[in-house]
Amino acid sequence: MVDLLQKGMAWLEDQRTKFMTQSVVYQRGDDSVEVPATLGTTVFNIDDGGGALLRIEARDYLIRASDLMIGETPILPKRGDRIRETSGSGVEQVYVYEVVGPGDEPCWRWSDGYRQTLRIHTKQVDMEAT
């Protein structure tokens, strides 16, 4: 029997990838791959251990899991990987983000119940003019 919800989610994922993405470069060491990504945000409330809550906002990249491949090998995100995002009109800037989760939080999560899309948490670590 066909899972109609899974079929619908696959259609929505195709629409997101076609109409709501921009190209970014995912890097692991010397290897990299250009992938379509949707920009997002996650707000974390982390207990600092002293009774205060720290509010940390991560820049997220939603990337189709099947697009995240180094060579012919599918990969999952890991801390320390980098995402390079080019932005701007006229003088372009390359924003460099490191894959990281604040505190004990993971650096990525599945964005859907069918494991089609990765939600990768990052923080900006550099900016370069091109």
Side-chain angles (χ1 to χ4, degrees):
M1 182 145 119
V2 175
D3 182 339
L4 291 178
L5 187 55
Q6 184 175 11
K7 187 175 178 179
M9 290 295 293
W11 180 83
L12 283 172
E13 176 60 16
D14 287 342
Q15 298 307 300
R16 182 194 64 78
T17 302
K18 285 179 188 173
F19 301 110
M20 298 177 61
T21 59
Q22 67 182 55
S23 193
V24 299
V25 175
Y26 191 94
Q27 293 181 309
R28 176 170 291 165
D30 293 332
D31 297 319
S32 64
V33 61
E34 191 169 333
V35 294
T38 301
L39 306 179
T41 302
T42 298
V43 176
F44 295 94
N45 290 309
I46 307 293
D47 184 345
D48 74 349
L53 281 179
L54 301 175
R55 183 181 186 277
I56 299 171
E57 189 171 303
R59 183 171 188 86
D60 292 345
Y61 292 89
L62 279 76
I63 298 174
R64 191 188 312 229
S66 61
D67 290 339
L68 196 54
M69 299 182 70
I70 299 291
E72 299 295 317
T73 307
I75 63 168
L76 290 174
K78 69 177 189 179
R79 287 180 188 267
D81 290 351
R82 300 266 173 117
I83 296 177
R84 300 173 63 82
E85 175 189 337
T86 302
S87 182
S89 57
V91 176
E92 290 186 341
Q93 300 285 327
V94 177
Y95 296 89
V96 182
Y97 293 85
E98 186 170 311
V99 175
V100 64
D104 293 333
E105 292 290 328
C107 63
W108 69 275
R109 290 177 163 71
W110 291 109
S111 183
D112 62 286
Y114 296 99
R115 296 183 182 98
Q116 298 178 95
T117 306
L118 303 159
R119 176 176 283 272
I120 305 168
H121 308 303
T122 67
K123 71 174 181 178
Q124 185 178 347
V125 293
D126 201 3
M127 182 173 63
E128 307 163 352
T130 58

